[in-house]
């Protein structure tokens, strides 16, 4: 049995694993499209036992925005082992092999959507981005006067060329200007898979003067629920135009479910009350993607935009990638030095590092949750006034920010 890079000769065996484990219709037009692309197979590896494909690891290269900086990452699409080969560490070995591949290619991060957080936590992944969900009755939607400054077009990405062109144009605009954690698939363009979802509607809000799109909704209407997968905009006029579109579904839908919103979404502009006449707005927090730092030195240095007031020595232990374990010194020159052994000021976990780098948590947050510790310190005060100065210095170097990994389906 050996690890092998897969190619199109493995299509039937690979498709069979996806179908058996995820119930995917691998005969659909979408899968046929991707399976037919040679570049789709460029980063798929598996364990092969004789003629049998028994485990797969499918990672695709993406460009990812973190703190307004564009970085390279791998995104894990599939990680599967057939039942009678489980508990042998096959996925772990595939993970380690691809971590070393990422290091060779100077890729600092691996991201994924977890099926089980604890499982991937054991591989060093942590929830590194926030998102919010909103459930409301349409009766709670606030009223906005209609305006001729914006108009809305609705279509399907696979069927309407103008909608498709303008939608991808907006994604490119977000990639260039967004404050959030945008991503682009490196090999085939962002969100190509959406073109194959027949019941998915895209509504674009256009400025009437320029005819330029300024916002979009991605949604489905099912069982009197308007399920909104994405609500994005670059002007408040577009926001209001899209909200007016939602209100036009009053006779067809009883409620709205928004599944992916940033924490700074203007909820008070969207609804008129948090509860009213038995209706209640449910605005719930939920972390989204998990992230794994593969090359800590590069990551510390890449996001060190402010010089420390004095050298700061941080111990990191990485049990799965022991070559990462050691002391990282952040210098006044905004460089990072690495030593296997040295006196250190504090220790951070590999999980806490990803969360601090993205800005989901501050160093103070991580200190108060035990992800950052001091040598010999067995008692952590939860009083803000007693947070050590060195932690506050880390807050200054890597400040907490809004994190949001946009999702579209």
């Amino acid at each position: 049995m050996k690890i092998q890079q897969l190619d199109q000769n493995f299509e039937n065996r690979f498709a069979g694993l996806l179908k058996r484990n995820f119930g995917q219709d691998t005969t659909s037009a979408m899968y046929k499209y991707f399976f037919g692309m040679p570049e789709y197979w460029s980063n798929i590896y598996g364990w092969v036992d004789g003629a049998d494909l028994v485990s797969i690891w499918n990672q695709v290269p993406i460009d990812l925005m973190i703190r307004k900086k564009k970085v390279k990452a791998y995104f894990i699409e599939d990680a599967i082992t057939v039942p009678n080969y489980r508990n042998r560490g096959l996925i772990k070995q595939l993970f380690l092999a691809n971590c070393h591949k990422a290091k060779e290619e100077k890729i600092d991060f691996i991201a994924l959507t977890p099926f089980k957080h604890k499982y991937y936590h054991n591989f060093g992944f942590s929830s590194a981005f926030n998102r919010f969900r909103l459930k409301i009755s349409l009766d709670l939607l606030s009223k906005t006067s209609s305006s001729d400054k914006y108009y809305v077009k609705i279509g399907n990405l696979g069927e309407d060329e103008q909608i498709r062109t303008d939608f991808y144009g907006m994604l490119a605009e977000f990639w260039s200007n967004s404050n959030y954690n945008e991503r682009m698939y490196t090999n085939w363009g962002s969100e190509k898979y959406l073109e194959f979802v027949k019941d998915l509607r895209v509504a674009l809000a256009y400025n009437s003067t320029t005819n330029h799109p300024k916002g979009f909704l991605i949604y489905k209407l099912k069982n009197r629920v308007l399920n909104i997968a994405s609500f994005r905009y670059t002007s408040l006029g577009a926001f209001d135009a899209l909200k007016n579109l939602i209100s036009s579904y009053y006779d067809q839908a009883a409620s709205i479910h928004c599944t992916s919103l940033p924490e700074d979404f203007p909820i008070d502009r969207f609804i008129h009350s948090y509860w009213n006449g038995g209706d209640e707005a449910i605005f719930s927090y939920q972390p989204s993607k998990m992230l794994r730092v593969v090359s800590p030195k590069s990551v510390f240095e890449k996001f060190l935009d402010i010089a420390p007031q004095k050298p700061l020595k941080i111990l990191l232990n990485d049990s799965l990638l022991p070559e990462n374990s050691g002391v990282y010194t952040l210098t006044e020159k905004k460089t990072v030095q690495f030593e296997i052994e040295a006196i250190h000021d504090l220790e951070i976990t590999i999980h806490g590092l990803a969360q601090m780098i993205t800005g989901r948590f501050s160093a103070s947050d991580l200190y108060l949750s035990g992800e950052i510790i001091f040598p010999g310190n067995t008692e952590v005060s939860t009083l803000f006034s007693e947070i050590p100065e060195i932690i506050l210095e880390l807050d200054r170097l890597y400040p907490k920010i809004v994190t949001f990994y946009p999702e579209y389906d």
Side-chain angles (χ1 to χ4, degrees):
M1 190 163 68
K2 62 181 180 179
I3 293 177
Q4 184 174 333
Q5 183 172 358
L6 306 186
D7 57 28
Q8 287 171 296
N9 293 319
F10 283 89
E11 178 178 331
N12 290 336
R13 284 169 283 180
F14 180 80
L17 281 181
L18 293 180
K19 184 176 182 178
R20 287 192 298 273
N21 287 269
F22 297 142
Q24 304 284 8
D25 179 9
T26 51
T27 64
S28 68
M30 181 183 73
Y31 278 102
K32 290 299 182 184
Y33 173 84
F34 286 114
F35 288 167
M37 297 172 60
E39 56 266 46
Y40 177 79
W41 299 93
S42 61
N43 290 286
I44 303 179
Y45 293 81
W47 280 99
V48 181
D49 189 1
D52 296 328
L53 180 62
V54 300
S55 184
I56 59 172
W57 182 273
N58 177 13
Q59 61 185 22
V60 299
I62 64 171
D63 296 309
L64 178 64
M65 192 81 73
I66 296 178
R67 294 186 182 272
K68 298 184 180 182
K69 294 186 178 183
K70 300 171 184 177
V71 300
K72 298 291 184 181
Y74 275 128
F75 190 88
I76 309 307
E77 292 283 352
D78 310 293
I80 302 171
T81 301
V82 299
N84 54 326
Y85 281 81
R86 290 173 185 167
N87 301 315
R88 301 188 190 184
L90 301 187
I91 289 294
K92 179 179 179 181
Q93 292 179 67
L94 286 168
F95 163 72
L96 292 174
N98 282 283
C99 280
H100 291 117
K101 181 176 185 289
K103 283 175 176 282
E104 291 172 1
E105 297 173 351
K106 300 189 183 305
I107 291 175
D108 295 333
F109 300 99
I110 298 177
L112 55 78
T113 302
F115 77 94
K116 187 187 296 182
H117 286 80
K118 182 179 180 181
Y119 178 82
Y120 287 108
H121 191 269
N122 293 333
F123 286 80
F125 288 86
S126 57
S127 298
F129 308 100
N130 286 337
R131 69 173 173 182
F132 286 81
R133 292 174 177 259
L134 176 65
K135 293 184 179 182
I136 63 167
S137 162
L138 255 73
D139 289 328
L140 294 181
L141 197 67
S142 61
K143 306 298 182 184
T144 300
S145 300
S146 59
S147 170
D148 58 4
K149 293 182 179 179
Y150 283 83
Y151 63 93
V152 175
K153 286 184 178 181
I154 303 172
N156 178 276
L157 288 178
E159 299 169 355
D160 190 314
E161 183 178 354
Q162 188 63 53
I163 290 286
R164 183 166 60 249
T165 298
D166 291 341
F167 172 73
Y168 287 132
M170 283 221 69
L171 292 187
E173 188 172 355
F174 284 128
W175 177 249
S176 299
N177 298 288
S178 176
N179 291 325
Y180 301 134
N181 304 107
E182 310 292 334
R183 56 77 163 68
M184 297 284 279
Y185 289 98
T186 305
N187 285 346
W188 53 73
S190 192
E191 319 314 323
K192 178 71 177 177
Y193 63 95
L194 293 175
E195 295 178 26
F196 298 93
V197 186
K198 296 299 183 183
D199 61 345
L200 200 66
R201 313 305 293 171
V202 175
L204 284 153
Y206 294 82
N207 181 289
S208 298
T209 302
T210 64
N211 293 315
H212 185 75
K214 291 290 187 178
F216 62 76
L217 292 178
I218 299 178
Y219 66 98
K220 295 180 182 179
L221 178 63
K222 185 176 181 180
N223 298 328
R224 290 187 53 77
V225 176
L226 197 63
N227 294 287
I228 299 176
S230 183
F231 187 157
R232 307 208 61 192
Y233 52 91
T234 59
S235 74
L236 289 179
F239 178 95
D240 291 339
L242 293 170
K243 186 177 69 169
N244 284 338
L245 171 67
I246 294 170
S247 67
S248 72
Y249 280 89
Y250 188 86
D251 291 332
Q252 299 166 267
S255 61
I256 305 166
H257 293 185
C258 298
T259 57
S260 184
L261 298 172
E263 60 187 285
D264 57 357
F265 181 80
I267 183 67
D268 291 326
R269 191 181 183 93
F270 193 61
I271 61 176
H272 61 76
S273 302
Y274 286 85
W275 54 86
N276 182 52
D279 293 324
E280 181 180 2
I282 302 174
F283 196 55
S284 58
Y285 156 83
Q286 185 181 64
S288 57
K289 308 303 181 187
M290 298 185 81
L291 194 69
R292 215 289 184 185
V293 174
V294 177
S295 301
K297 183 178 183 294
S298 173
V299 166
F300 270 124
E301 195 164 82
K302 191 170 291 181
F303 297 96
L304 188 61
D305 295 328
I306 303 173
Q309 296 176 357
K310 63 179 182 179
L312 183 58
K313 295 180 177 291
I314 302 173
L315 173 65
L316 175 72
N317 286 311
D318 190 342
S319 59
L320 284 180
L321 298 174
E323 67 273 20
N324 289 340
S325 297
V327 176
Y328 296 82
T329 302
L330 315 186
T331 75
E332 300 102 314
K333 296 181 179 180
K334 296 194 290 186
T335 60
V336 177
Q337 299 171 354
F338 174 72
E339 301 169 273
I340 296 176
E341 294 183 7
I343 296 173
H344 58 278
D345 300 310
L346 54 85
E347 179 179 351
I348 190 169
T349 65
I350 192 68
H351 308 96
L353 176 59
Q355 294 171 327
M356 182 179 74
I357 291 298
T358 63
R360 181 183 178 226
F361 291 139
S362 67
S364 293
D365 294 331
L366 295 168
Y367 170 71
L368 294 174
S369 65
E371 297 291 334
I372 292 180
I373 59 176
F374 285 90
N377 184 15
T378 59
E379 185 71 25
V380 176
S381 171
T382 58
L383 298 175
F384 182 79
S385 60
E386 296 184 11
I387 292 177
E389 286 294 327
I390 197 168
I391 295 295
L392 299 179
E393 173 69 349
L394 265 182
D395 285 346
R396 187 178 71 89
L397 300 179
Y398 303 103
K400 185 176 182 177
I401 58 174
V402 172
T403 59
F404 177 61
Y405 187 105
E407 299 181 65
Y408 300 105
D409 62 345

